[in-house]
Amino acid sequence: FVRKIIGDLHIEKMIEYKRVTPRHCRVCLSIVTRVGAAVIFLFGPFPSLFSRSLVLDLSHTQTRIRSSESSSLTGVSSEPFSGEPYRAFPSKGRIFIDDSNFPRKRVKSKIEPKCLQWGVVTTINSPTESVLHVAQLPAWCLVVVGDKKTPEPYELPLLSGSYYLGKNEQEEFCSNFDDFCTGIPWNHFGRKNIGYLYAVAHGATKIWDFDDDNVLLTANPPQISDDIIMMQAHGANDCHVLNPYPKMGGPLGEEQPSWPRGLPLDLISRPCDFNVEEVKNPLEIDVGIVQSLANNEPDVDAIYRLTRGTPFDFDEKNEWIVLDENLLAPYNAQATVVSGAALWSLFLPMTVHSRVSDIWRSYFGQRLMKDIGVRVAFAPPHVRQDRNSHNILGDLKAEDALYHQASSLCRFLSSWSGSTGSLPGRFEELIVNLYERGFLEIEDVYMVQKWIAALLRAGYEFPTLIDAIDYENVAVDSSKRKHMPKSETLEEEQKWPNLQLFVPVFPDGEEELGNILLRSLEFFWPKSKLNLLFLVDEEIKERDAFSGRLISKTSTFVNSVAVALNSITKEIFGNGHDRQQLLMFWADNFTDAEYVGFVDDDALLTNHVQLIDLFDKEGRPHVFGRSNAAGVSWWKAAEERTSWSYGGEREVMRTMNYFPVVIKTSHLNDIREAILNHHPEFSCFDAFFAQLRRTPYSQFNIFFQYLWYNKREEYAWHLEATHVADDHFRSINGTIETMTHPMPRCALHANYDNRNSGSNQRETLLFVDDVMRRGFCYSLTKEEYDNEKGGYTRGCTKAGHSWQNVTTTPNVDQWLFEYLDWRWDPRATDAHRKRHALNKKKESWNEKVLKDLFPGIMAH
């Protein structure tokens, strides 16, 4: 008790005044402890001191310590643990109040990442069935963190993408993160934190956090898909902690149902009421945590094992449960999938026992996930736990804090509200508050600060807080900008470059052009920025009438419109695909604009187009490249033609992957000259093209092959792997990791979308309406969304696009292009949030189109 009272005050005082290091503090603390013990031994325990309330008030720390009868220092007393603050963290000890202290230097990985999915485990045993199973998972890497008791050599399968970190390997890796690793003791569960950091530093966007005695029963860890049955749980009354076991097939018992380790004991016989409803599209919910239940030896506490006993299995209900934002439930570090937006929450506190650490982590992590719109889900058993040897009475003692403090912790978290304007700062703020209330000790505050710094140095991008957006007024409150990472603040209005959209068209496609491209341009593209150039074949009989109709249809919603005639004769290149592609190589002959944007007549815009959708903040056009790992034969053949065009060099990327494809107009001449330099056998470019067109080719792939190797710094590159194991871009010279970060597009290819049957014009129109309806709701600022006069709220809500949904869940239309969906990458969700936070109010919306999209709801 003396050690606690005098020691904590002494440490806080010394650290606040920065006179000594923590090592010196420990020496002083040891001396103070011995002196205090001697005083008590000589003069007795001073009963009167402990029989009354004792409050020490030191102005420099504002620390308050109550009597031992109700002290939260031990968490054990005859009175319930209150969780009220009784001590204060030094006021100068906060680091992440704003982003000025965020580390900017990034650690370069020494091991080339082999995948984006990692299993992480720490063990003191030889490789178990569980570990060997994960080591063999396709498209997964594994890091095993050893301890001093771990038998060595630790043999993992060769060529499995698995890494064992013994003492030497940990020290080598930790040389990049000394401040963090040196704070983790050996022979401690907390060494698993090194494994989490190792995975993140080597490219992890998803982590399977497991124990060596939890054996997968399925081919892979649990993963959300369209074919699962997911129920969303909503809390009732003022109860905020859910027991998922009974609902998911756990034993009900005669008086009390089964319960997970960490559930507040007062909720065992008086469980919270909650309602469930089926989720129509599970992929639309942003789930950051998936906890797999375990059969045989489920994760229950020592009280359950002593009174009810195990083993037991869950009934085969096959239902998942996802919690709403206001519910809490304990999850563990034994069989849990943690995705990109929640990777920061992996930190295991080390001043509590390992039987408490992962539960405390789950509770404070869930509270913070609410602030970024991320949910927690529970999956049916994907593992069987063959429990390692445990002393149940030892577990009973180790779990003491769970029994006495969990209820107070959950009450506190349910009412807690952070004030810091970034997730790192809010994470730090909450851990400080937990220290001040006795749930954690001060060492964990410092370790969380070091964990945040280590993640930032490893290149991890923290998600944006939802309340960094002022939902009551406009998209982003300028008073909060200083609290947001610099990359997420609204940039000053950039001047739109001189851009002209280049659209080859044919009379046969006039109806399709009007129903898809022109309709969406009118609705989504700012009128003052829309410059259209239509290319019409010169020899067609109705060219003048057709040209007149094009100008008439578009003149009301464009800044400028022109029609140019293509004089290439039909006999040479026909009037179809090839002629259209050749025109793009020569677009600089038709426009004086600085930039040309290529679009097809079936390109369909998906949102209110802003400058940031087309150019980065440095004024460089966005380029969306995709690997050809999907192996489509036509694209494989086109890949060979790209290579042939430049003398055999390997094709870098496939860029028929977005619209509009924006290129600096002057670069087109450079591209033609570069190709002819590789092919002196052709007298002119058209002769080269005549040879090129004999087999499949892509003009966009050919464009960006040259631009990648010769003008790379003049474009902003976004490189899309087609699935989690696709490592194509890691083998391309010049690729940097930030290029692989997902970014939403602003258009899709309507006739190559598997949701558009295209069987008739009516079906296509229904598809277009659905895309435009969704795009409208996703494009609104909060001020626009709440426009009750116009009916925007009612219309979007009825269409299934609530404000919560549009701010946190990616719009599928911005991520799906020609059958491939980029949302497989967990980082897509955070990219969506960042883009949505930058929505700007449109000058006006076309009321006629709105009435068509939302009949009976939208009004002028």
Side-chain angles (χ1 to χ4, degrees):
F1 179 74
V2 171
R3 180 183 179 92
K4 271 293 183 185
I5 294 179
I6 303 178
D8 283 354
L9 297 181
H10 184 70
I11 286 177
E12 291 174 4
K13 179 177 179 180
M14 290 301 202
I15 290 176
E16 181 166 357
Y17 287 100
K18 299 181 180 179
R19 294 176 179 171
V20 294
T21 66
R23 181 177 65 82
H24 292 139
C25 291
R26 288 193 290 272
V27 173
C28 295
L29 176 57
S30 179
I31 296 171
V32 170
T33 302
R34 286 165 173 74
V35 172
V39 170
I40 291 176
F41 176 77
L42 292 173
F43 297 102
F46 303 108
S48 60
L49 175 66
F50 295 97
S51 64
R52 65 179 185 274
S53 175
L54 170 65
V55 177
L56 281 75
D57 190 352
L58 287 84
S59 60
H60 64 278
T61 60
Q62 297 183 344
T63 302
R64 297 188 178 274
I65 299 178
R66 299 178 179 179
S67 74
S68 63
E69 290 183 354
S70 61
S71 172
S72 56
L73 293 170
T74 64
V76 181
S77 72
S78 58
E79 297 294 328
F81 182 90
S82 69
E84 294 297 320
Y86 65 88
R87 55 188 178 186
F89 185 72
S91 59
K92 298 179 181 179
R94 290 284 304 278
I95 295 177
F96 298 103
I97 293 178
D98 57 44
D99 70 353
S100 61
N101 290 322
F102 285 18
R104 301 301 178 190
K105 181 181 178 183
R106 187 175 165 197
V107 172
K108 296 295 184 182
S109 171
K110 294 182 179 180
I111 300 175
E112 286 297 323
K114 295 184 178 180
C115 54
L116 299 176
Q117 302 180 116
W118 284 77
V120 178
V121 65
T122 185
T123 183
I124 57 173
N125 302 310
S126 299
T128 62
E129 179 184 356
S130 171
V131 172
L132 294 175
H133 187 153
V134 176
Q136 301 285 12
L137 289 178
W140 284 79
C141 290
L142 169 68
V143 56
V144 180
V145 184
D147 214 323
K148 288 188 175 180
K149 298 179 182 178
T150 309
E152 294 187 0
Y154 193 91
E155 297 183 355
L156 291 167
L158 296 174
L159 305 177
S160 64
S162 301
Y163 303 92
Y164 172 70
L165 303 184
K167 183 176 184 296
N168 293 337
E169 292 83 1
Q170 289 182 46
E171 289 177 351
E172 179 183 3
F173 171 70
C174 286
S175 64
N176 297 308
F177 307 97
D178 277 339
D179 289 346
F180 178 68
C181 295
T182 54
I184 304 176
W186 288 96
N187 297 323
H188 196 285
F189 181 63
R191 296 206 76 76
K192 199 173 191 182
N193 287 318
I194 295 175
Y196 301 143
L197 182 60
Y198 185 92
V200 172
H202 292 84
T205 60
K206 181 182 292 185
I207 285 177
W208 172 235
D209 185 14
F210 73 105
D211 271 1
D212 65 356
D213 56 359
N214 279 252
V215 182
L216 275 168
L217 300 172
T218 53
N220 286 289
Q223 181 171 338
I224 294 175
S225 63
D226 284 328
D227 57 359
I228 66 171
I229 301 173
M230 177 177 281
M231 310 299 291
Q232 183 165 218
H234 302 279
N237 304 322
D238 294 326
C239 201
H240 301 292
V241 187
L242 171 69
N243 176 3
Y245 279 17
K247 187 67 179 176
M248 301 186 73
L252 297 177
E254 295 182 4
E255 297 181 1
Q256 295 94 23
S258 52
W259 67 88
R261 174 171 58 95
L263 186 77
L265 295 184
D266 56 335
L267 297 180
I268 294 173
S269 57
R270 295 183 295 103
C272 288
D273 292 331
F274 64 94
N275 304 311
V276 295
E277 61 178 352
E278 186 171 356
V279 177
K280 294 182 179 179
N281 186 356
L283 289 173
E284 289 189 355
I285 295 184
D286 188 3
V287 175
I289 302 289
V290 176
Q291 164 78 84
S292 169
L293 304 185
N295 277 338
N296 191 42
E297 289 287 348
D299 188 22
V300 294
D301 59 31
I303 291 178
Y304 189 95
R305 294 185 191 280
L306 289 168
T307 60
R308 303 283 294 278
T310 56
F312 69 77
D313 287 351
F314 290 85
D315 293 341
E316 295 183 4
K317 288 196 170 186
N318 293 323
E319 288 184 357
W320 295 47
I321 287 183
V322 62
L323 309 185
D324 76 14
E325 60 182 8
N326 295 312
L327 278 177
L328 299 171
Y331 61 82
N332 58 41
Q334 298 175 6
T336 303
V337 174
V338 184
S339 296
L343 291 177
W344 54 269
S345 71
L346 281 162
F347 174 80
L348 289 165
M350 289 170 281
T351 62
V352 293
H353 196 279
S354 62
R355 297 290 296 168
V356 177
S357 178
D358 57 344
I359 301 301
W360 266 204
R361 175 186 77 171
S362 74
Y363 280 136
F364 65 66
Q366 284 173 88
R367 174 56 195 86
L368 291 168
M369 287 177 216
K370 175 181 177 180
D371 291 352
I372 59 172
V374 172
R375 307 287 188 83
V376 173
F378 288 81
H382 283 61
V383 298
R384 179 192 74 246
Q385 182 174 174
D386 299 329
R387 199 166 192 247
N388 294 328
S389 177
H390 277 251
N391 182 316
I392 297 182
L393 292 179
D395 286 350
L396 183 71
K397 181 178 180 181
E399 294 167 357
D400 181 84
L402 298 182
Y403 307 142
H404 292 89
Q405 298 180 14
S407 184
S408 296
L409 176 62
C410 292
R411 282 197 304 272
F412 166 66
L413 293 174
S414 295
S415 62
W416 183 81
S417 178
S419 60
T420 314
S422 69
L423 181 56
R426 196 161 294 185
F427 190 3
E428 176 192 44
E429 179 184 0
L430 179 54
I431 297 300
V432 166
N433 290 167
L434 294 178
Y435 157 72
E436 292 173 337
R437 286 161 172 75
F439 295 106
L440 299 172
E441 295 304 322
I442 201 167
E443 290 83 0
D444 273 325
V445 180
Y446 300 138
M447 287 304 296
V448 164
Q449 291 174 334
K450 293 173 181 178
W451 166 251
I452 293 170
L455 287 178
L456 290 166
R457 289 196 69 206
Y460 179 70
E461 293 188 9
F462 280 83
T464 306
L465 294 172
I466 290 177
D467 60 6
I469 308 167
D470 181 1
Y471 292 149
E472 300 304 320
N473 295 294
V474 294
V476 175
D477 183 343
S478 60
S479 69
K480 294 182 180 180
R481 289 185 187 179
K482 63 182 181 179
H483 299 308
M484 299 170 66
K486 288 183 173 59
S487 62
E488 296 163 12
T489 59
L490 285 174
E491 301 293 334
E492 294 298 321
E493 183 69 26
Q494 290 175 248
K495 182 180 178 181
W496 277 63
N498 184 4
L499 167 68
Q500 190 169 36
L501 297 187
F502 186 94
V503 192
V505 291
F506 311 98
D508 291 346
E510 185 174 0
E511 184 176 19
E512 177 179 89
L513 172 71
N515 289 341
I516 301 176
L517 177 62
L518 297 186
R519 189 161 184 252
S520 64
L521 280 173
E522 180 181 9
F523 192 59
F524 285 125
W525 199 288
K527 176 180 179 179
S528 62
K529 312 299 182 185
L530 182 54
N531 302 298
L532 285 178
L533 174 63
F534 294 107
L535 271 294
V536 175
D537 291 348
E538 184 179 45
E539 73 278 4
I540 62 174
K541 293 180 180 180
E542 65 270 37
R543 73 177 190 193
D544 293 336
F546 179 45
S547 299
R549 290 196 301 272
L550 291 174
I551 293 175
S552 175
K553 287 180 179 179
T554 58
S555 59
T556 58
F557 61 85
V558 299
N559 179 59
S560 69
V561 57
V563 175
L565 299 180
N566 165 29
S567 61
I568 299 175
T569 61
K570 178 179 179 181
E571 286 71 22
I572 299 176
F573 294 115
N575 60 357
H577 174 81
D578 291 329
R579 186 165 174 175
Q580 183 185 55
Q581 311 305 72
L582 177 59
L583 283 178
M584 296 185 189
F585 281 101
W586 289 101
D588 51 330
N589 279 1
F590 296 94
T591 179
D592 293 325
E594 182 181 7
Y595 292 94
V596 58
F598 299 107
V599 289
D600 285 0
D601 60 4
D602 58 345
L604 174 59
L605 298 184
T606 58
N607 59 280
H608 171 210
V609 177
Q610 298 177 200
L611 181 60
I612 54 175
D613 297 314
L614 306 173
F615 296 84
D616 74 356
K617 62 183 180 180
E618 297 177 18
R620 302 177 301 179
H622 292 301
V623 178
F624 291 80
R626 174 183 282 173
S627 83
N628 198 25
V632 178
S633 58
W634 192 95
W635 286 107
K636 285 295 184 183
E639 183 177 343
E640 295 176 3
R641 294 307 265 174
T642 302
S643 178
W644 171 75
S645 298
Y646 294 101
E649 66 184 20
R650 179 187 178 193
E651 184 182 81
V652 175
M653 68 188 72
R654 170 181 156 190
T655 46
M656 181 57 183
N657 190 32
Y658 67 111
F659 288 122
V661 177
V662 179
I663 289 180
K664 198 167 189 177
T665 308
S666 62
H667 289 167
L668 291 168
N669 184 63
D670 298 335
I671 291 168
R672 295 193 302 268
E673 289 186 356
I675 290 173
L676 289 179
N677 286 337
H678 284 286
H679 293 279
E681 68 271 24
F682 298 115
S683 59
C684 64
F685 186 81
D686 286 5
F688 158 81
F689 187 81
Q691 180 68 25
L692 175 72
R693 66 188 286 258
R694 294 185 178 184
T695 59
Y697 66 93
S698 166
Q699 79 283 7
F700 294 148
N701 293 11
I702 294 172
F703 289 169
F704 288 104
Q705 183 78 6
Y706 170 81
L707 297 174
W708 174 263
Y709 284 115
N710 297 278
K711 306 288 184 181
R712 190 181 310 153
E713 298 304 317
E714 298 184 45
Y715 293 83
W717 303 86
H718 309 279
L719 308 181
E720 176 187 0
T722 54
H723 52 80
V724 71
D726 180 1
D727 61 356
H728 168 77
F729 287 114
R730 296 195 186 105
S731 65
I732 298 297
N733 183 37
T735 301
I736 59 176
E737 195 272 337
T738 53
M739 292 179 179
T740 67
H741 292 190
M743 178 176 172
R745 305 172 183 85
C746 62
L748 55 79
H749 204 177
N751 285 344
Y752 293 83
D753 192 297
N754 53 15
R755 298 168 299 167
N756 175 24
S757 67
S759 57
N760 54 60
Q761 284 296 323
R762 182 178 181 278
E763 292 296 323
T764 297
L765 282 172
L766 290 174
F767 170 72
V768 171
D769 282 355
D770 186 52
V771 171
M772 291 177 59
R773 188 181 300 113
R774 186 161 39 246
F776 168 75
C777 296
Y778 271 82
S779 297
L780 298 176
T781 64
K782 182 59 174 173
E783 181 182 6
E784 291 176 294
Y785 193 94
D786 289 341
N787 181 358
E788 289 296 336
K789 183 178 179 181
Y792 293 178
T793 304
R794 296 193 305 278
C796 290
T797 303
K798 186 174 181 180
H801 310 305
S802 67
W803 182 251
Q804 173 71 15
N805 187 41
V806 300
T807 54
T808 60
T809 305
N811 177 358
V812 58
D813 304 318
Q814 295 177 298
W815 299 95
L816 180 65
F817 195 94
E818 291 197 355
Y819 313 117
L820 293 178
D821 190 341
W822 206 351
R823 290 180 301 166
W824 68 262
D825 190 325
R827 297 173 296 180
T829 299
D830 195 43
H832 161 71
R833 289 198 196 94
K834 290 178 179 179
R835 172 59 187 86
H836 189 273
L838 299 177
N839 276 354
K840 291 183 180 179
K841 186 176 180 180
K842 196 171 184 293
E843 289 183 12
S844 64
W845 290 99
N846 187 304
E847 297 294 340
K848 181 179 183 304
V849 175
L850 284 178
K851 290 178 181 179
D852 291 341
L853 296 177
F854 302 91
I857 297 177
M858 296 295 181
H860 182 67

